[in-house]
Amino acid sequence: MRTPIIAGNWKMYKTPREAVSFVQELKTAVAGVQDVEILVCPAFPALLPLSVVLADTNIKLGAQNMHWEPEGAYTGEVSAEMLREIGCTYVILGHSERRQYFGETDTKVSKKARSALDDGLVPIICVGETIDERKAGETQTVIQRQVRGCLNGLRAGEVAGLVMAYEPVWAIGTGLTASPGDAQEVNALIRHLIGELYDRATAASVRIQYGGSVKPGNAATLMSQPDIDGALVGGASLKVADFTRIIKATVETLKPWS
Ligand code: PEP
């Protein structure tokens, strides 16, 4: 059984001080949660202080980006090893905002994923179609191209342990959410493709999140879908109460009798 993972992508919000105060509240709110993995991904300056506050809690730490080289003359960049050393276990790669504003491509994502895995970080690889691509009926083609490109060069055992995130671009930060049926369909497509590219065991093991305006009110139906293994949450992860309700709604979906 795949453990769902609820990740908060804080983007360029929260100073280190605000981030520390947030997780101090969050760790109390989610103290008893066991069967859902909880992750926060703050901006770089908050990573180190959060790693101290989150030690010995059930909340993990992730970064929002990294460079693929281990070191070098790359002003403004950070490496996987640097992130690992300050307590990160995950790194988000290929987020649509990085694709849109910073020239992230599937090729760069695959290089970053290679480097992340080599340094013991778990990549969360984002894919998703734009509204124009969806309207043109190109969703499947786009997702397949992105998945193939981002996983290029990775081995089955590596893919089995990473996280994919289906994030339709038109649903990110817009308040528009993919219907549970549509999100399930694309997540199932990603799993099927990974089965073709690798094998059934890898497809069965890889976790595939949904992201795009996940809120307390829609989390349960989305997280109940068979191929949705958690959420990548932007806006609603910035408020302790909302993020906690999404986590607890996900825990509830794990109880077959509820
Ligand atoms: C995101 O940034 O990955 C995201 C899904 O944002 P939001 O939840 O605000 O749509």
Side-chain angles (χ1 to χ4, degrees), residues 161-241:
L162 59 70
V163 178
M164 301 295 301
Y166 168 52
E167 295 211 306
V169 179
W170 48 269
I172 296 178
T174 58
L176 300 171
T177 315
S179 70
D182 285 347
Q184 161 60 24
E185 190 178 313
V186 177
N187 277 34
L189 171 80
I190 295 170
R191 198 178 302 287
H192 181 77
L193 178 60
I194 288 176
E196 280 182 358
L197 294 173
Y198 296 93
D199 51 56
R200 283 175 64 175
T202 304
S205 155
V206 64
R207 289 182 292 174
I208 309 175
Q209 297 176 310
Y210 166 78
S213 298
V214 174
K215 308 267 181 254
N218 60 25
T221 37
L222 284 161
M223 297 308 119
S224 305
Q225 302 302 312
D227 287 295
I228 298 183
D229 308 314
L232 186 51
V233 186
S237 73
L238 296 169
K239 292 192 181 137
V240 175

Side-chain angles (χ1 to χ4, degrees), residues 59-213:
I59 304 169
K60 293 184 178 153
L61 193 59
Q64 299 173 16
N65 180 38
M66 53 167 267
H67 197 275
W68 58 84
E69 289 293 343
E71 62 180 4
Y74 300 103
T75 301
E77 294 290 332
V78 301
S79 72
E81 187 187 4
M82 293 169 187
L83 296 174
R84 186 82 187 107
E85 193 175 305
I86 59 165
C88 288
T89 46
Y90 286 87
V91 60
I92 299 171
L93 300 178
H95 190 280
S96 67
E97 286 151 16
R98 295 222 52 92
R99 290 176 187 263
Q100 186 179 351
Y101 303 122
F102 303 103
E104 191 98 322
T105 60
D106 296 335
T107 305
K108 287 182 184 170
V109 173
S110 74
K111 287 160 81 172
K112 291 181 180 194
R114 169 79 276 135
S115 173
L117 289 161
D118 287 346
D119 267 296
L121 289 177
V122 179
I124 298 178
I125 297 179
C126 304
V127 296
E129 82 286 3
T130 63
I131 192 63
D132 288 345
E133 289 163 340
R134 176 157 280 263
K135 283 184 178 158
E138 293 168 358
T139 300
Q140 291 201 2
T141 317
V142 169
I143 298 296
Q144 286 171 333
R145 187 187 66 231
Q146 291 178 337
V147 171
R148 282 178 196 276
C150 292
L151 298 183
N152 186 29
L154 304 188
R155 296 183 288 274
E158 294 170 333
V159 174
L162 59 70
V163 178
M164 301 295 301
Y166 168 52
E167 295 211 306
V169 179
W170 48 269
I172 296 178
T174 58
L176 300 171
T177 315
S179 70
D182 285 347
Q184 161 60 24
E185 190 178 313
V186 177
N187 277 34
L189 171 80
I190 295 170
R191 198 178 302 287
H192 181 77
L193 178 60
I194 288 176
E196 280 182 358
L197 294 173
Y198 296 93
D199 51 56
R200 283 175 64 175
T202 304
S205 155
V206 64
R207 289 182 292 174
I208 309 175
Q209 297 176 310
Y210 166 78
S213 298

